[in-house]
Amino acid sequence: MWKFITLFPRAAYTQWGCAVARRLLHDGLLKVHPEVSKAIASQKAVVALESTVITHGMPYPQNLKCAREVEQIVKEHNAVPATIGIIEGKVHVGLSESHLEQLAKSKETLKVSRRDLPYVLSKGLSGGTTVSVSIIAAHKAGIPLLVTGGIGGVHRDGQNTLDISSDLTELGHTPVAVVSAGVKSILDIGRTLEYLETQGVCVATFGKTRDFPAFFTPRSGFQSPYNVTDEEEAARLIATVHHFGQDSGVLIGVPIPEEEAASGLVIDNAISQAVKEARVKGIQGKDVTPFILARICELTQGVSLTTNIALIKNNAKVGSRVACALARQNTRRYKRPSQLSEEKDRAPAKPVVIGGCNIDYVIKVEHGDMMFGGPTNRSIIRQSIGGVGRNLADCLSRLGLNPLFISAIGTDINGETIRHFCGHMDTSGVAILPEHNSAVYCAVIAPSGELNLGLGDMDIHLQITAQYVSKFEEQIRSASFVCLDGNIPASTINYVCNVAKECSVPVLFEPTDFSSACKPFKTESWKSLTYTSPNLMELWAMNQALGLPVPTELPSAVDEVVEVALRMSRPLLKHLQCVIVTLGKHGVLLCSGREDGEISLQPRKASQTSPSDLCAAHYPAISIRPEEMLNVSGAGDSFAAGLIAGILTGQETHTCVRMGLLAASHSIRSLEVISTSININSVNPQRVIEGAWPQPIYNLDGKAPANKEL
């Protein structure tokens, strides 16, 4: 009996509800997937997903592709997806791949609402669950939040036909929050909002305004009673409903992003025609919505389907972030102050990353020479979220290390975009400054692939001052690792290095570019660094800042590159433990002292003296086909994060480097700066086979080996 009790978070549901759920589990009518069950028991974030969008909302194979992508989005945002469906008379909370494919392909599945549920279960049939049945199942399994495209509502002319979706009445007496793009725009939105008020359902728009969304478009012309500006505020609203003991649910309306919204006029015209055709053909009841949606797709030549998929994915992102925030709040709520104090005392040290975050625009000119003086250059323009510090914190978060990220953004639209994109990270150290612009960087790339022009509005990085960072001194002193990027002021670098040195905290300096690489080396700060990871030009700038002789010209041949990198690294190793020189397509050169005959990346204790013998190891890059290379801007940061993850998990040197190389290869193959496919398994050399791992080539005497195979 007790094994069922662990499925339900304390105070979330009544004893009666738990008893019913245990009976359903015992009778086999409710089947909770093991991964979902484990997540619920450990009070992790779980997102329930309905399945009529699979069975009746889209054609095959788009429905299966969309369902898989939505589940992947939930996973990427650190939550567990639980798609709900009915398979042969059993309600499944969390579907296997085979069951997902069965629902997507089958022509025999039913659309199951509350009214249909007893019949479908008693007959052993299969079906897609509407919002009403999905929130029933989610509630019984102990999942407080459901994501869908749009809920049902009051149909047009519903005041005469009384055609009202059971989604609304179910929300009125089931305490589950639903995240959706409002109600389907084929319905009477105004009367639906009135009916939700009658049912006692709290409705709020996710965003800065109370504009209630209209499914395909961000604004319906109607207002929600309330709005929540971010996931934390949404989670507090949902948690309050649960903890006060209200029986009704919450509806969070998420407007579709403007760039994904379909033309309102085109959609409205298609809806009017489809509704008229349904009336003429005598289509009624639960068959109305599938008919109208399919007809709208035909009339808009697929625009509505594309928009439908976009809004579902957007809802999954927002819903996952809300679920994570809700899980954090619930976990903290159910612990006594003494427990929280004890956990704080024994909490493991976490990394701290201090650096810039910005919006990146990459403009690639399609062909020919760039034309100046007014003509338009045909280009491909892509926006992404970047910044060296942010990239490091993003990648470390995906590798399970949950670093504290300290940075600064503005209150403008770019700042809001950054904040929402970084919902999976600990951004409690990010200052939000109303009188400053968030950082923006624009790179203009020639058809040859070379950087032609770089433009940046980076002044906000100067606000990451030593005074601001000192607010987090306790976290820095107790950190397992500190990463600094070259965007922050030299005075801030100096302050952090001094604090870290007092507490023997290892520090890595990640240069952002040639001009920033020299910042620590203009003072004594650099002697407190443990690691640095420059490219060849940045290493040249470091040597020049120290007044050391530097080559007048940097080589391009690999043998000469390795030799010059090794020669310029040697003086830094008088104080640094390791210099990691990134060589692009030539791989990585690791320069360090030797301990017991091997290079060691693990931080030395303060009492230990620096090894007298110096050693270098050259690791060739992982081979990637040209057609697979989509983005190189985050490769170096991904490499550094993978390397740090290896160090912090106690891996030996070769494994640390290979973890970094694997992380870099994922980001190179991704359109995102930091690939969302990066996780602790995808960068594990023991699990990932990337051909034969090349053995590092050692150098002990300061001269590069003559190896033509490099």
Side-chain angles (χ1 to χ4, degrees):
M1 178 176 179
W2 289 104
K3 65 182 178 180
F4 298 117
I5 294 175
T6 60
L7 290 171
F8 307 94
R10 282 177 290 176
Y13 305 102
T14 63
Q15 289 182 348
W16 178 84
C18 288
V20 170
R22 288 197 298 272
R23 188 172 69 248
L24 288 170
L25 286 164
H26 180 72
D27 294 341
L29 293 177
L30 183 68
K31 291 185 173 292
V32 182
H33 192 281
E35 288 185 15
V36 176
S37 177
K38 182 180 178 181
I40 296 170
S42 57
Q43 298 191 22
K44 292 183 179 179
V46 181
V47 174
L49 303 164
E50 54 102 345
S51 55
T52 52
V53 69
I54 302 171
T55 58
H56 292 77
M58 297 177 191
Y60 180 83
Q62 288 99 322
N63 57 352
L64 180 59
K65 182 174 183 288
C66 180
R68 288 170 173 164
E69 289 175 345
V70 168
E71 287 198 346
Q72 184 59 34
I73 287 170
V74 174
K75 292 175 183 176
E76 288 171 358
H77 286 77
N78 299 319
V80 177
T83 304
I84 297 170
I86 300 175
I87 307 293
E88 298 175 354
K90 313 294 182 187
V91 179
H92 287 251
V93 180
L95 294 176
S96 65
E97 179 63 26
S98 61
H99 285 154
L100 201 63
E101 194 164 340
Q102 179 182 338
L103 288 182
K105 286 183 175 180
S106 176
K107 303 291 186 181
E108 306 299 324
T109 52
L110 302 175
K111 180 181 179 182
V112 185
S113 68
R114 170 181 262 272
R115 177 198 66 179
D116 313 303
L117 186 59
Y119 179 81
V120 171
L121 296 184
S122 67
K123 290 289 187 178
L125 303 176
S126 299
T129 55
T130 62
V131 169
S132 64
V133 172
S134 297
I135 61 178
I136 291 172
H139 177 53
K140 294 186 185 303
I143 303 171
L145 183 140
L146 172 95
V147 166
T148 184
I151 66 168
V154 179
H155 282 253
R156 300 186 183 198
D157 200 32
Q159 70 276 18
N160 296 317
T161 64
L162 296 183
D163 192 349
I164 301 171
S165 171
S166 61
D167 293 354
L168 306 186
T169 51
E170 200 60 52
L171 268 169
H173 55 74
T174 306
V176 170
V178 175
V179 174
S180 77
V183 299
K184 297 179 178 72
S185 50
I186 62 176
L187 306 171
D188 188 324
I189 295 176
R191 285 191 169 90
T192 298
L193 287 171
E194 290 290 344
Y195 196 84
L196 285 167
E197 181 184 357
T198 302
Q199 293 294 314
V201 178
C202 183
V203 179
T205 297
F206 189 88
K208 291 183 177 180
T209 73
R210 294 193 294 115
D211 291 326
F212 190 73
F215 198 65
F216 292 117
T217 55
R219 289 170 291 278
S220 64
F222 296 93
Q223 296 277 296
S224 296
Y226 311 104
N227 71 299
V228 287
T229 57
D230 56 29
E231 55 269 21
E232 296 293 338
E233 196 172 332
R236 283 196 297 273
L237 174 65
I238 297 166
T240 301
V241 170
H242 291 164
H243 300 308
F244 191 71
Q246 280 187 229
D247 291 332
S248 53
V250 176
L251 177 63
I252 305 293
V254 181
I256 185 173
E258 294 280 359
E259 63 271 18
E260 302 286 0
S263 167
L265 182 60
V266 172
I267 294 294
D268 285 344
N269 290 339
I271 289 171
S272 298
Q273 183 175 337
V275 169
K276 188 182 298 183
E277 290 179 12
R279 191 178 297 119
V280 169
K281 293 183 177 183
I283 297 173
Q284 297 179 345
K286 64 181 181 180
D287 296 326
V288 171
T289 299
F291 171 81
I292 292 178
L293 289 177
R295 190 71 183 108
I296 291 171
C297 185
E298 293 172 2
L299 293 170
T300 61
Q301 297 181 332
V303 170
S304 64
L305 177 59
T306 302
T307 309
N308 194 0
I309 293 171
L311 68 86
I312 290 172
K313 290 181 179 179
N314 185 59
N315 292 348
K317 293 177 185 176
V318 173
S320 300
R321 297 203 306 264
V322 174
C324 289
L326 185 60
R328 289 194 297 269
Q329 291 181 18
N330 284 339
T331 300
R332 188 168 187 85
R333 180 180 290 271
Y334 296 123
K335 290 178 180 174
R336 298 187 302 276
S338 60
Q339 287 178 298
L340 293 172
S341 177
E342 290 170 6
E343 287 187 1
K344 182 178 179 182
D345 291 341
R346 65 172 182 267
K350 60 189 289 184
V352 174
V353 178
I354 308 172
C357 58
N358 45 264
I359 298 287
D360 287 339
Y361 290 95
V362 177
I363 303 173
K364 185 171 183 180
V365 180
E366 286 191 315
H367 50 74
D369 295 329
M370 287 186 62
M371 298 179 291
F372 297 93
T376 299
N377 292 274
R378 292 183 61 83
S379 308
I380 298 172
I381 303 175
R382 179 171 174 79
Q383 178 191 29
S384 59
I385 312 298
V388 171
R390 194 219 67 85
N391 294 346
L392 285 168
D394 183 348
C395 197
L396 288 170
S397 297
R398 296 184 187 282
L399 293 172
L401 293 170
N402 191 32
L404 170 66
F405 180 43
I406 301 174
S407 189
I409 58 175
T411 55
D412 50 14
I413 187 65
N414 287 332
E416 184 177 352
T417 300
I418 291 169
R419 191 157 51 88
H420 286 169
F421 189 87
C422 299
H424 61 292
M425 297 159 47
D426 181 356
T427 56
S428 58
V430 177
I432 302 174
L433 307 176
E435 297 182 0
H436 293 82
N437 296 328
S438 298
V440 176
Y441 175 74
C442 179
V444 181
I445 310 296
S448 63
E450 296 180 356
L451 176 66
N452 252 10
L453 184 66
L455 303 169
D457 178 0
M458 303 288 192
D459 286 352
I460 195 170
H461 293 155
L462 300 177
Q463 304 306 312
I464 311 172
T465 61
Q467 182 179 3
Y468 174 70
V469 173
S470 67
K471 296 178 181 179
F472 306 95
E473 183 171 320
E474 182 181 343
Q475 290 94 320
I476 294 170
R477 288 182 176 276
S478 62
S480 58
F481 204 101
V482 171
C483 300
L484 304 174
D485 84 11
N487 285 306
I488 62 179
S491 56
T492 306
I493 295 173
N494 186 56
Y495 163 75
V496 175
C497 285
N498 288 336
V499 172
K501 183 178 181 181
E502 290 177 11
C503 304
S504 300
V505 176
V507 180
L508 177 137
F509 175 63
E510 172 70 18
T512 57
D513 57 32
F514 171 79
S515 60
S516 300
C518 58
K519 285 182 180 179
F521 297 89
K522 291 181 176 180
T523 68
E524 296 295 295
S525 298
W526 75 276
K527 295 180 181 179
S528 300
L529 298 175
T530 315
Y531 312 92
T532 188
S533 51
N535 60 29
L536 201 60
M537 275 295 294
E538 292 160 351
L539 182 59
W540 187 95
M542 294 173 178
N543 275 252
Q544 187 187 53
L546 291 173
L548 299 171
V550 292
T552 55
E553 189 176 323
L554 293 177
S556 56
V558 62
D559 287 358
E560 295 175 357
V561 165
V562 171
E563 182 176 353
V564 168
L566 179 58
R567 189 166 68 244
M568 290 195 295
S569 296
R570 288 183 73 91
L572 306 188
L573 293 171
K574 291 179 180 178
H575 296 281
L576 275 68
Q577 181 175 330
C578 189
V579 177
I580 306 118
V581 189
T582 56
L583 304 175
K585 64 182 181 180
H586 298 314
V588 177
L589 183 70
L590 207 66
C591 304
S592 181
R594 286 195 300 163
E595 293 181 3
D596 300 325
E598 295 287 345
I599 289 181
S600 176
L601 279 173
Q602 292 302 322
R604 293 190 291 266
K605 292 187 168 59
S607 59
Q608 292 178 329
T609 58
S610 299
S612 55
D613 289 340
L614 299 180
C615 179
H618 175 240
Y619 292 81
I622 293 174
S623 178
I624 297 176
R625 296 192 303 271
E627 62 271 20
E628 293 182 305
M629 298 180 66
L630 301 178
N631 184 2
V632 298
S633 59
D637 302 332
S638 298
F639 170 80
L643 185 87
I644 294 166
I647 293 171
L648 292 180
T649 54
Q651 307 300 323
E652 52 91 24
T653 298
H654 300 331
T655 300
C656 292
V657 176
R658 287 162 181 165
M659 287 174 68
L661 291 172
L662 282 169
S665 72
H666 277 281
S667 290
I668 289 171
R669 293 182 175 107
S670 170
L671 288 174
E672 300 294 340
V673 176
I674 301 299
S675 172
T676 56
S677 65
I678 291 175
N679 56 55
I680 198 63
N681 289 325
S682 68
V683 303
N684 184 345
Q686 305 302 320
R687 296 191 177 195
V688 180
I689 305 300
E690 284 282 349
W693 277 108
Q695 291 300 310
I697 300 163
Y698 290 94
N699 180 294
L700 303 179
D701 58 6
K703 294 182 180 179
N707 189 324
K708 301 304 181 184
E709 296 181 0
L710 287 176

